Amino acid sequence: MANGGGDLWLLMTVLGVSLLGITIAYAAFKSRQGMTGEKRRLTERGTRDVYAAEQRDPANRRA
């Protein structure tokens, strides 16, 4: 057990992180799928507004 204990922890960590990623991706997909056309347009417009504001911010520009 002493030699294989680290391998078990590594395996369980990788599986846990993978399961968490799959769960988050599934939830995002399902929440996006249930949107009506109006909600989807509002979300996309809000995203564009946020990106545009970040582009206008001088702190985000490279020298």
Side-chain angles (χ1 to χ4, degrees):
M1 180 72 177
N3 293 336
D7 295 339
L8 178 63
W9 278 106
L10 178 63
L11 176 66
M12 295 305 286
T13 301
V14 168
L15 289 175
V17 168
S18 299
L19 182 61
L20 179 62
I22 290 169
T23 303
I24 291 171
Y26 177 76
F29 175 75
K30 283 305 230 181
S31 95
R32 180 88 174 161
Q33 193 177 30
M35 284 186 173
T36 63
E38 180 65 23
K39 286 182 182 178
R40 183 168 291 156
R41 282 191 296 275
L42 288 173
T43 301
E44 290 173 0
R45 189 177 75 193
T47 302
R48 282 193 302 272
D49 291 346
V50 168
Y51 283 132
E54 286 180 354
Q55 293 242 329
R56 287 190 302 269
D57 187 0
N60 291 329
R61 295 193 183 138
R62 295 180 185 224

